[in-house]
């Protein structure tokens, strides 16, 4: 079998819900956010190629605009026999902040399922620990900072639990939650979040959060394992790191493989995003080798920063500073270059 035809077997980890989650998956966020007619076939084709390579975890969100493309690809793979059944896939999506209100969660998930052409998602996450009021005059918008409001976390989580009870989400969880915010959620949750999806890479190691999640039975899932290349919060410190380049050269690997392997060795699930078939396959070539102890030491010694962003901070909102949003758990990097790159209306 040629290397380009190889199908990788991706290890899985059981979640607290009982559902097994692949340890490596494909992220599908493309910027600017939102579905466009010309992008959908590109995403669908990328997902099909990823299925061919062995990916079974596909991460989406209402705000990404990629749910329809994932659904199209899944349906095509089932028709072609590449997948024997829907159960072979693990599809995750996220509740956007404008729907993070009691009364809006179930309708939002039903809309996601309609987009995906599926009866359930394997994992449904609260995208951010914050809500946004949607004015009748303004209609739906991705992000209007002046409309940011505190989330009724108890009310929203109760509806997330109802999504699980109705079988619409096999597992439920959160994204971008700190230890402090998780502690608050756990104080009233009847079903603990199965997953917390956060930024993790060699310069954003999340040791405190990982230890907390492990103690509580919450699986950490890493986004932006390469520093968020192609996103508004991207920082070239990861891909251009002299330390990581040297480690990769010494081991005969790519910087991306070193980063993904490092996250994998922490016990996290990881969702790199690449629609390039060669890189998609390279990103799965991490299971039959280990980092050296010297490489691990060098990564532990790197300075830490958080690349992700202050888009959800505003003087009139529940969080006035990025430090407050992230509860001071990691040093916050430089402010994002431009919310316009997100395709958002981030009025300040």
């Amino acid at each position: 079998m040629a290397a380009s035809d190889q199908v990788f077997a991706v290890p899985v980890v059981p979640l607290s819900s009982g559902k097994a989650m692949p340890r490596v998956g494909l992220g599908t966020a493309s910027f600017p956010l939102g579905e466009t007619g010309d992008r959908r076939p590109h995403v669908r084709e990328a997902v099909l190629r990823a299925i061919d390579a062995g990916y079974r975890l596909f991460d989406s969100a209402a705000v990404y605009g990629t749910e329809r493309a994932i659904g199209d690809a899944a349906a095509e793979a089932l028709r072609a026999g590449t997948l024997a059944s829907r159960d072979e896939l693990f599809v995750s999506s996220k509740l956007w902040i404008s729907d993070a209100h009691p009364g809006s969660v179930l309708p939002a998930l039903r809309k996601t399922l309609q987009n995906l052409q599926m009866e359930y998602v394997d994992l449904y996450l609260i995208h951010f620990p914050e809500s946004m009021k949607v004015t009748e005059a303004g209609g739906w918008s991705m992000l209007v900072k002046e409309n940011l409001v505190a989330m009724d976390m108890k009310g929203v989580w109760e509806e997330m639990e109802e999504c699980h009870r109705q079988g619409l989400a096999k597992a439920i969880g959160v994204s971008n939650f700190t230890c402090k915010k998780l502690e608050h959620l756990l104080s009233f949750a009847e079903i603990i979040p199965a997953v917390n999806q956060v930024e993790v890479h060699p310069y954003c190691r999340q040791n405190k959060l990982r230890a907390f999640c492990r103690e509580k039975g919450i699986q950490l899932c890493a986004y932006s394992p390469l520093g968020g290349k192609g996103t508004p919060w991207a920082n070239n410190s990861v891909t251009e790191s002299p330390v990581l380049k040297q480690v990769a050269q010494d081991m005969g690997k790519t910087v991306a493989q070193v980063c993904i392997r490092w996250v994998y060795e922490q016990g996290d699930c990881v969702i790199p995003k690449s629609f390039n078939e060669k890189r998609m396959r390279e990103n799965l070539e991490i299971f039959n080798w280990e980092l050296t102890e010297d490489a691990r030491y060098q990564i532990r010694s790197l300075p830490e920063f958080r690349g992700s962003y202050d888009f959800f901070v505003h003087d009139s909102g529940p969080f006035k500073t990025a430090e407050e949003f992230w509860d001071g758990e990691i040093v916050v990097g430089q402010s994002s270059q431009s919310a316009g790159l997100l395709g958002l209306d981030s009025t300040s």
Side-chain angles (χ1 to χ4, degrees):
M1 179 183 288
S4 60
D5 296 328
Q6 184 176 358
V7 179
F8 296 89
V10 179
V12 299
V13 60
L15 302 179
S16 59
S17 63
K19 180 75 179 180
M21 182 174 181
R23 292 286 309 279
V24 181
L26 187 76
T28 64
S30 294
F31 295 86
L33 291 174
E35 183 175 23
T36 60
D38 59 342
R39 185 191 297 164
R40 188 168 157 191
H42 177 58
V43 177
R44 179 187 60 80
E45 187 64 25
V47 172
L48 283 170
R49 298 290 73 76
I51 290 172
D52 287 342
Y55 286 87
R56 293 296 180 264
L57 164 58
F58 296 93
D59 181 73
S60 188
V63 76
Y64 294 171
T66 56
E67 291 173 337
R68 289 183 185 276
I70 291 172
D72 289 346
E76 186 168 332
L78 285 166
R79 284 194 301 270
T82 312
L83 296 173
S85 74
R86 157 69 180 89
D87 291 344
E88 287 188 30
L89 291 179
F90 189 106
V91 178
S92 61
S93 195
K94 307 179 191 73
L95 176 76
W96 185 237
I97 57 174
S98 57
D99 290 317
H101 303 277
S104 298
V105 179
L106 275 160
L109 177 52
R110 289 192 179 104
K111 178 67 183 298
T112 279
L113 294 175
Q114 184 181 9
N115 289 338
L116 288 166
Q117 308 155 61
M118 295 177 182
E119 295 181 355
Y120 65 88
V121 289
D122 299 278
L123 177 64
Y124 196 48
L125 305 175
I126 296 176
H127 207 152
F128 287 93
E130 196 168 19
S131 298
M132 185 179 75
K133 61 185 178 184
V134 181
T135 63
E136 218 172 292
W140 190 91
S141 183
M142 290 187 185
L143 173 62
V144 179
K145 283 193 172 190
E146 291 172 342
N147 290 346
L148 292 172
V149 293
M151 181 192 291
D152 175 357
M153 197 178 292
K154 188 172 189 295
V156 168
W157 189 251
E158 284 173 353
E159 290 201 16
M160 293 287 288
E161 292 176 332
E162 185 60 24
C163 292
H164 179 63
R165 291 189 185 102
Q166 291 191 21
L168 302 177
K170 299 298 184 184
I172 53 175
V174 296
S175 182
N176 298 297
F177 271 52
T178 61
C179 296
K180 181 179 178 180
K181 292 177 177 66
L182 280 171
E183 206 142 26
H184 175 55
L185 189 156
L186 290 170
S187 70
F188 52 75
E190 292 184 14
I191 301 173
I192 69 166
V195 169
N196 185 18
Q197 186 183 118
V198 295
E199 178 185 4
V200 184
H201 51 71
Y203 283 89
C204 183
R205 295 186 286 280
Q206 297 281 21
N207 292 334
K208 176 184 176 182
L209 182 61
R210 182 177 298 105
F212 179 89
C213 288
R214 190 167 289 154
E215 177 190 340
K216 303 298 182 182
I218 301 169
Q219 176 65 45
L220 212 62
C221 180
Y223 70 71
S224 296
L226 312 181
K229 187 176 181 182
T231 70
W233 60 89
N235 189 307
N236 291 334
S237 297
V238 178
T239 53
E240 297 302 320
S241 166
V243 171
L244 295 176
K245 283 183 173 181
Q246 189 60 54
V247 167
Q249 182 178 318
D250 291 347
M251 299 196 67
K253 306 296 179 183
T254 68
V255 170
Q257 287 171 330
V258 166
C259 291
I260 296 166
R261 176 68 202 187
W262 177 84
V263 175
Y264 179 81
E265 289 187 5
Q266 307 315 299
D268 305 344
C269 295
V270 55
I271 44 172
K273 186 260 172 177
S274 176
F275 289 170
N276 176 286
E277 185 173 2
K278 179 175 181 290
R279 287 195 292 271
M280 277 197 289
R281 288 180 174 276
E282 284 178 351
N283 291 345
L284 287 182
E285 294 175 355
I286 60 145
F287 303 120
N288 61 353
W289 55 275
E290 294 183 356
L291 292 171
T292 63
E293 197 49 54
D294 180 62
R296 294 177 187 133
Y297 171 79
Q298 290 190 63
I299 290 173
R300 285 196 302 269
S301 303
L302 293 171
E304 285 209 73
F305 64 86
R306 184 186 291 281
S308 58
Y309 31 85
D310 57 4
F311 296 129
F312 299 91
V313 169
H314 191 262
D315 289 343
S316 66
F319 305 107
K320 313 297 194 243
T321 66
E323 288 79 6
E324 186 181 358
F325 186 93
W326 299 110
D327 294 316
E329 289 189 5
I330 290 180
V331 175
V332 178
Q334 303 227 333
S335 293
S336 55
Q337 303 161 9
S338 168
L341 292 173
L342 273 169
L344 308 180
D345 173 12
S346 56
T347 308
S348 55

